Amino acid sequence: YNAIYNGIFYLYKYAHSYLLIPFAILSLLYLRRLANRTGMRIVIAITALWLLYIIYVGGDFTKAGGIAANRIARWDGSRWYALGDGLNNTPRAIAIDGADIYVAGDFSTAGAASANRIAVWDGTAWAPVGTGEGTADDFSGQGYIHALALMGGELYIGGDFITIDGVSANNIARWDGNG
């Protein structure tokens, strides 16, 4: 999907540091429009590092700007980077906490780690969030995560599930970083 790369590259090509906020917003709008036009499902998160805005994009793709990137990639304003070996299925949500990138979706592995629907990238490797058991519901047995949010050092998880890591949680859960 080089269209993703070309669109963002064009937006950033002539940008100066003080213009990165509007260019990041335009990039998001471009990606959303591209997703609507192609039927591709994508999720996006942005973080700031000094005056540089980093964009994390997840979706139904295996390349970003010619770089192998299985369903998740990082754009730093000049090039794409893969997050390890990526995910074995589509992400639905991304949340950023410093260097940690939390991702939830329809996947069962993230890189080499077994991570049932939720994982964290620490900048060098993937790991499951919690025990790695993931979500379950009373309909399909799997459960789905649709939203992630960080607040006060804790990760909030929302979706269609009745348990997460074996703990009862009706569609919303909070993870404090332990267990």
Side-chain angles (χ1 to χ4, degrees):
Y1 287 50
N2 283 330
I4 292 175
Y5 171 77
N6 292 336
I8 289 179
F9 179 76
Y10 177 76
L11 291 173
Y12 280 95
K13 190 173 183 179
Y14 302 104
H16 299 288
S17 296
Y18 60 90
L19 293 176
L20 285 176
I21 293 173
F23 280 101
I25 292 168
L26 287 173
S27 294
L28 292 176
L29 295 174
Y30 173 82
L31 287 170
R32 285 290 179 197
R33 194 173 80 198
L34 176 68
N36 288 338
R37 195 172 54 228
T38 63
M40 181 175 61
R41 182 174 53 176
I42 61 171
V43 292
I44 301 167
I46 297 178
T47 187
L49 179 64
W50 293 92
L51 294 176
L52 177 64
Y53 285 79
I54 307 295
I55 300 175
Y56 291 89
V57 179
D60 297 326
F61 58 86
T62 56
K63 288 188 177 187
I67 304 295
N70 288 322
R71 298 175 183 89
I72 189 157
R74 175 175 64 96
W75 172 255
D76 70 359
S78 62
R79 69 180 287 246
W80 287 102
Y81 299 88
L83 276 64
D85 290 334
L87 310 168
N88 73 336
N89 210 333
T90 308
R92 292 175 178 257
I94 301 172
I96 302 168
D97 186 20
D100 292 334
I101 311 304
Y102 292 90
V103 181
D106 301 337
F107 54 88
S108 59
T109 59
S114 177
N116 190 14
R117 305 202 182 278
I118 186 166
V120 61
W121 171 256
D122 67 4
T124 58
W126 287 101
V129 171
T131 65
E133 185 179 330
T135 59
D137 68 13
D138 53 2
F139 181 68
S140 68
Q142 296 177 7
Y144 296 93
I145 298 172
H146 301 288
L148 297 173
L150 288 150
M151 184 180 201
E154 296 181 322
L155 178 64
Y156 291 83
I157 304 157
D160 298 319
F161 54 86
I162 59 170
T163 66
I164 188 162
D165 283 350
V167 177
S168 223
N170 288 320
N171 303 317
I172 190 164
R174 182 185 70 204
W175 186 62
D176 63 6
N178 298 311

